[in-house]
Amino acid sequence: MVHETVVLVPARNEEVGVLTSLESLAAQTRRPDLIIVVVNNSTDRTEEYARQFANDERTPLTVVLNFADNPHKKAGALNLGLRWLREAVGGRLNNRVRHVLVMDADTELHPRFIERACNVIASDPELGGVSAACFGRTDLWRSPWQRFLLGMQIIEYGRAANARYRQDVHTMSGAGSFYRAEALQGLIDWRGEVFWEDHRNLVEDYETTLALKESGWKVTANQLCIAYTDLMPTLRELIQQRERWSRGTVDTLRRRGWTKFTWHSITTMVMGVIGFAYILGWGSKQLVLLAAYGFYHQPLLWALFAFWIIYPALRVRNLGWKAMLVEALLLPELVYTVVRAYWLISSIVKSYVTRVSAWK
């Protein structure tokens, strides 16, 4: 082996967070052998800060590549980094590189992330990748509205980290995914590239996850492989981010169709839409009855309210009592559910009636 672990960090206009991300790699208990930063269509000082890190003798070996005119978004930046790596080790990753970690430049990894991911992937020779458990960074709000918006995202990330579909992970997280290099080389041999370069590919992490499964590899997630990622501070940015994720997922599912690797995602999305519609219709009717007769004549509502208070609170108990209290209050989660329903339904509609929006 030339390299035990190589890290790929695509960075577009990340001057604020790129140093924090790279320093979290330098602080790993098992440090990477090589870090490749691909500065991707940036117009700020991202490259300058990345080179500042690379020139520090105390940090791991770091190479900074500038991809100033990248038509293929994040997928193109990642493939460029992989091409550079393959050339550096003799043309193929097999028997030259053991692991490749892909992480976003707005993400900070737990100090034992690489150590734990190595242990997980070594436990099963059929594992092609280990996805991070993502948590949102805290204490970034400046107003009560931002406190609500960011707080609900923190709860959402924490709940998802605990409830991921362990043996059939929906998607390897773009914030932090640890791949077996042999699996990535297999994708290159199969289709010429790891990350699909196409302007319609809005979710390169999900498309690559499906490709790994289709080529015979398993993927998983691990709660101890923790990544802390930035959250969206405004409602507009949040909806834009989630519409891109949801729209990209719908587009990918439409291209793939119903297979043993997509049925769970398709079913989950359809049930989500049905659930929102049912809650809207049934909930409106119950509110009318509640206004007319009060709680006394609605025993079913008493039971449902008790369930809605206790169950959501228990699902986030690992996040502390404040998160449990927010979930038990119902109203904050109800407001956020309306927002979530909007971006899900709008993403499905846009997938069928509009062209892919620009994103680099």
Side-chain angles (χ1 to χ4, degrees), residues 83-103:
R83 284 195 297 271
W84 186 95
L85 175 60
R86 288 165 58 205
E87 291 173 5
V89 299
R92 293 181 62 82
L93 301 178
N94 288 25
N95 302 319
R96 309 294 286 171
V97 179
R98 196 179 304 276
H99 308 119
V100 176
L101 167 62
V102 175
M103 66 175 288

Side-chain angles (χ1 to χ4, degrees), residues 122-143:
S123 66
D124 186 348
E126 295 183 1
L127 269 180
V130 181
S131 178
C134 295
F135 290 90
R137 290 173 175 164
T138 59
D139 300 327
L140 300 176
W141 42 73
R142 298 179 181 178
S143 66

Side-chain angles (χ1 to χ4, degrees), residues 64-338:
V64 181
L65 307 177
N66 189 0
F67 200 177
D69 186 18
N70 172 20
H72 296 299
K73 310 170 187 174
K74 184 178 175 182
L78 291 170
N79 284 333
L80 175 71
L82 285 172
R83 284 195 297 271
W84 186 95
L85 175 60
R86 288 165 58 205
E87 291 173 5
V89 299
R92 293 181 62 82
L93 301 178
N94 288 25
N95 302 319
R96 309 294 286 171
V97 179
R98 196 179 304 276
H99 308 119
V100 176
L101 167 62
V102 175
M103 66 175 288
D104 287 341
D106 63 353
T107 297
E108 183 178 358
L109 299 183
H110 186 279
R112 297 183 64 186
F113 182 98
I114 292 179
E115 175 190 346
R116 290 167 173 170
C118 285
N119 292 336
V120 174
I121 212 165
S123 66
D124 186 348
E126 295 183 1
L127 269 180
V130 181
S131 178
C134 295
F135 290 90
R137 290 173 175 164
T138 59
D139 300 327
L140 300 176
W141 42 73
R142 298 179 181 178
S143 66
W145 170 247
Q146 274 195 342
R147 187 183 182 95
F148 164 76
L149 201 60
L150 295 175
M152 294 309 298
Q153 291 175 71
I154 290 170
I155 291 174
E156 181 185 28
Y157 274 80
R159 185 168 54 223
N162 288 333
R164 297 192 71 182
Y165 203 56
R166 295 296 170 203
Q167 296 304 316
D168 188 17
V169 172
H170 166 74
T171 180
M172 298 281 288
S173 172
S177 289
F178 195 82
Y179 296 99
R180 190 186 299 272
E182 180 186 351
L184 299 187
Q185 183 61 56
L187 289 185
I188 295 171
D189 294 340
W190 175 35
R191 62 181 189 173
E193 60 190 10
V194 172
F195 300 94
W196 183 43
E197 293 186 1
D198 190 284
H199 74 283
R200 296 168 295 172
N201 186 13
L202 299 178
V203 283
E204 80 296 325
D205 45 8
Y206 180 49
E207 197 282 332
T208 303
T209 303
L210 287 178
L212 281 173
K213 294 177 182 179
E214 290 164 353
S215 59
W217 291 96
K218 296 191 299 185
V219 296
T220 190
N222 189 273
Q223 287 179 297
L224 298 180
C225 297
I226 300 172
Y228 302 95
T229 189
D230 280 348
L231 304 172
M232 296 297 105
T234 67
L235 183 60
R236 180 180 179 181
E237 291 174 291
L238 175 64
I239 290 177
Q240 286 178 341
Q241 180 197 59
R242 300 311 175 85
E243 280 191 337
R244 176 170 65 82
W245 290 356
S246 300
R247 162 71 186 271
T249 300
V250 175
D251 289 347
T252 302
L253 292 173
R254 289 178 60 198
R255 284 191 293 268
R256 287 301 206 283
W258 183 279
T259 72
K260 66 178 181 179
F261 304 114
T262 62
W263 71 267
H264 184 262
S265 298
I266 294 173
T267 303
T268 300
M269 192 167 290
V270 171
M271 293 302 294
V273 173
I274 293 174
F276 289 135
Y278 180 77
I279 290 173
L280 181 62
W282 183 84
S284 300
K285 178 182 177 181
Q286 295 305 313
L287 286 176
V288 171
L289 294 175
L290 183 63
Y293 301 106
F295 268 106
Y296 182 75
H297 297 286
Q298 298 293 323
L300 177 60
L301 278 183
W302 280 108
L304 286 175
F305 266 107
F307 175 80
W308 290 336
I309 289 172
I310 296 172
Y311 179 67
L314 291 177
R315 289 185 66 192
V316 297
R317 60 186 180 276
N318 64 305
L319 299 178
W321 68 269
K322 291 182 181 179
M324 294 182 68
L325 179 61
V326 169
E327 289 294 274
L329 290 175
L330 294 182
L331 185 59
E333 183 63 39
L334 181 61
V335 173
Y336 196 69
T337 298
V338 172

Side-chain angles (χ1 to χ4, degrees), residues 10-15 38-42 44 46 105 359-360:
R12 176 179 181 267
N13 291 341
E14 294 287 358
E15 63 179 10
V38 183
V39 182
N40 169 36
N41 291 337
S42 282
D44 64 2
T46 299
W359 173 71
K360 295 185 179 182

